Amino acid sequence: GVVRVRTTGTGEVLGVRIAPEVVDPSDVAMLEDLVLAALHDMNAQLLEIQRAAMGPLGDILGGA
């Protein structure tokens, strides 16, 4: 929850919000990892929403 990514339903990234307490200017690599993890989480949530919206058809067409 320290990095939040706001997207559209198609996955277009609209914005990124980073909690100020996790920003360390001397550790850019950690910040990059946090953003990447947030993007992966957003993608997983988007896929789950799409599967749920398609119901049983989503499982047939490429669900887990």
Side-chain angles (χ1 to χ4, degrees):
V2 295
V3 177
R4 295 193 179 258
V5 178
R6 192 167 58 99
T7 66
T8 66
T10 61
E12 178 186 359
V13 176
L14 299 175
V16 175
R17 185 169 192 277
I18 301 171
E21 64 270 14
V22 301
V23 177
D24 180 356
S26 66
D27 195 359
V28 173
M30 182 190 72
L31 185 57
E32 292 170 342
D33 289 344
L34 287 171
V35 172
L36 183 59
L39 288 167
H40 285 171
D41 183 54
M42 175 273 311
N43 191 46
Q45 289 180 29
L46 179 59
L47 288 173
E48 185 56 38
I49 290 168
Q50 289 172 341
R51 284 188 184 123
M54 292 189 72
L57 186 58
D59 292 335
I60 293 170
L61 295 177

